[in-house]
Amino acid sequence: MRHIIAMLMENEPGSLSRVAGLFSARGYNIHSLCVAPTEDPTVSRLTLVTREKDEGIVEQITKQLNKLVDVIKVLDLTEGEHVERAIMLVKVRATGARREELKRLSDIFRGRILDVSSSTYTIEVTGVGEKLDAFIDALEPKSILEVVRSGALGIGRGTKSLRV
Amino acid sequence: MELTGAQILCRFLKDEGVEYVFGYPGGSVLFIYDELYKQDAVKHILVRHEQGATHMADGYARATGKPGVVLVTSGPGATNAVTGIATAYMDSIPMVVITGQVPTQAIGSDAFQEVDSVGITRPCVKHNFLVKDVKDLTQTLKKAFHVATSGRPGPVVVDIPKDVTALKADYVYPTAVEMRSYNPVTRGHGGQIKKALKLILGAKRPMVYSGGGVVLGESSAELTEVVQQLGYPITSTLMGLGAYPGADRQFLGMLGMHGTYEANMAMHGCDVLIAIGARFDDRVVGDVKKFCPKAKIIHIDIDPASISKVVKVHIPIVGGVKEVLEELLAALKTTEQQRDEDALAGWWQQIEEWRAKKCLSYANSSELIKPQAVLEALYKLTDGDAYVASDVGQHQMFAAQYYPFKEPRRWINSGGLGTMGFGLPAAMGVQFAYPDETVACITGDGSIMMCIQELATAKQYGLPVKILSLNNGYLGMVRQWQEFFYDKNYSQSYMETLPDFVKLAESFGHVGLRIDKAADVEGALKEALSRKDDLVFMDFITDPSENVYPMMEAGKGHNEMLLRELA
Ligand SMILES: Cc1ncc(C[n+]2csc(CCOP(=O)(O)OP(=O)(O)O)c2C)c(N)n1
Ligand SMILES: [Mg+2]
């Protein structure tokens, strides 16, 4: 099953490599990883998505992450209600009549056109992974010039929050 | 007070109560060595190879429970230390390793003797630090000792660039340390302990499986009391030997790959397994699918990640082994629940039948020296009270089987990593801690060659270690596997050109004895033990064909052991 694991860690050089190293050393799968400092510059928040068939391994992953001395808190968001977002930027060939069509498609996905040239659009789409996949599927494959996607970010619903 | 980084380090080590630093100098640590020269509170032990320094510090830590401290230079100094760091990591030994580093502004430039020590050691340390600012040095050192010694212990590396050792900062010894990201649990969950007690007392065929965590957690007395109150059988892992008295009737011997028949059979047959400070290592468990098929499992461990990592357990209790056992004892005293005496009597009867197989008996010989006989003689002549440090191989297993330790911290061996070369320097580390005790090093003709240079260190500091080399002319453990599983193709396991160990010991200034007749074993040991001030290297020429039994092959269950066939 797919799990989104959120964690707070000391914002120190090498912290990220401890997480990455743990996954490679123990053979765990990382599908995506996002990390940036929080409102408190000494704390980084890291969100990672893993797909493991064995729930025992997911339990091990959270325990091993917790064991890292730099890690302050770990939460498997998938255990509760949560919202999730990823962002994608797509550069597409946009000429002639296709320009109008692409604009409409972008609107349907609540995308935004960030950059325009005489032959291209750069469109921003945010949402859950499936929505981003669906947008890609809706595009003419040959028209796609470049795709850049972030990993998922996640946050729990309601009043509870993951804080130091 | 303003001090240089090097001065801060020396002052800190003194204030932290560090007795010994095991190390080897080099360019990046010269400021530190200059300060060591000007003080005498901390004794520096000059080794002959950085691997030796780490194993010495490790042996010291295993015997005393205090953290071992190592100091090495950057680059090759640090890489030479890696084997010893990994050895300590696998066995959760508290150790602080200070590595020199090239100056901060040179980091990343492929400078002379630069390696990414923090990167190289990351997967084999509990934690590591690179100190970039001398103002952070004191706090970082304090954190390093705190992390190394608390929770599940382990080695911590502190990498210090050369300029940091020369720059100045204020120094005040920090008595406390705060780390918001690191707060190991010690008290076990009361509810879980209650549940466990109910299961324990209701058991019909109970079994206690204790491990190195009991030794590390200083809870041998609590373990012994709980087990004796319950009257249940107990086995131990290689790492836990001595935590429960080895000669007691309730002790069934070691379990696992070379465990006793009775211990392994009792594991297979038990209905409640109480795992204490053990981590279900593959050498203990064998085939996970065949592990304790009838048992409900209780697991007490300080490391949550150890729980249900290999084998799913029914009642996990996360906490310090000592704290949890204390609570369990208190609960035992007040409970009204009765044990199932009839079932227990039957269980013990079954265990005694297994024990009657005498799986450790061997055909002694009046000519060839049997390795087992050497260990039995050592046990007899030291009353079972020696510190025994071992290398890795058949001799290690014989030591574990034939020297039933009475107390914890007497058995010093590399269990998790299985590092050949560990024995001699580890024995020396123990001898530094306990200069007047008998410290024996059980080694083999292969292993001893891996850190043989430390004989020079032993001479320099007058360490009277007693080396018992069980010289079978083979990498015996490898030869055994080749005999059993690789069609007797003895590929590269025969040691063709062994040195004359007597002369070799003598050339380092020690006493060497060669013993090749069974009748001479006791005499030689007596002589060696009576030489209180000398390191004696006993080269026992042993039966080259001897194998370690019982043996549970990889992928087999505890009830599928190979036993020694006696003619
Ligand atoms: C550094 C290292 N290299 C290789 C091994 C693999 N190994 C395990 S036991 C062994 C043989 C040890 O030979 P010896 O020290 O003579 O002991 P014996 O088994 O003969 O008693 C070897 C090579 C190891 N454990 N450690
Ligand atoms: Mg040998």
Side-chain angles (χ1 to χ4, degrees), chain B residues 392-395 418-420 444-447 450 472 474-478:
Chain B
V392 173
Q394 291 182 321
H395 59 273
T419 309
M420 288 170 70
D445 44 312
S447 296
M450 288 212 180
N472 52 12
Y474 279 101
L475 300 174
M477 190 55 95
V478 173

Side-chain angles (χ1 to χ4, degrees), chain A residues 35-59:
Chain A
V35 57
T38 60
E39 81 283 8
D40 173 353
T42 68
V43 178
S44 287
R45 177 149 172 158
L46 190 148
T47 313
L48 67 80
V49 176
T50 179
R51 289 189 172 129
E52 289 285 357
K53 275 195 224 85
D54 183 348
E55 290 299 305
I57 292 185
V58 178
E59 186 183 322

Side-chain angles (χ1 to χ4, degrees), chain A residues 58-74:
Chain A
V58 178
E59 186 183 322
Q60 262 297 305
I61 290 176
T62 52
K63 284 176 172 175
Q64 293 289 349
L65 287 170
N66 254 315
K67 201 169 144 181
L68 292 175
V69 169
D70 280 341
V71 170
I72 304 166
K73 273 187 185 156
V74 179

Side-chain angles (χ1 to χ4, degrees), chain A residues 10 13-14 17-18 25-26 40 42-43 59-60 63-64 67-72 164, chain B residues 89 118 122 126-129 147 152 179-182 303-309 312:
Chain A
E10 296 292 348
S17 61
R18 288 181 210 281
R26 295 195 182 261
D40 173 353
T42 68
V43 178
E59 186 183 322
Q60 262 297 305
K63 284 176 172 175
Q64 293 289 349
K67 201 169 144 181
L68 292 175
V69 169
D70 280 341
V71 170
I72 304 166
V164 172
Chain B
Y89 180 66
V118 165
R122 189 175 298 122
K126 183 168 171 188
H127 196 58
N128 57 19
F129 299 93
V147 170
R152 179 176 177 175
M179 294 175 76
R180 62 181 168 187
S181 63
Y182 175 74
D303 179 7
S306 274
I307 286 172
S308 294
K309 180 176 73 175
K312 189 119 188 79

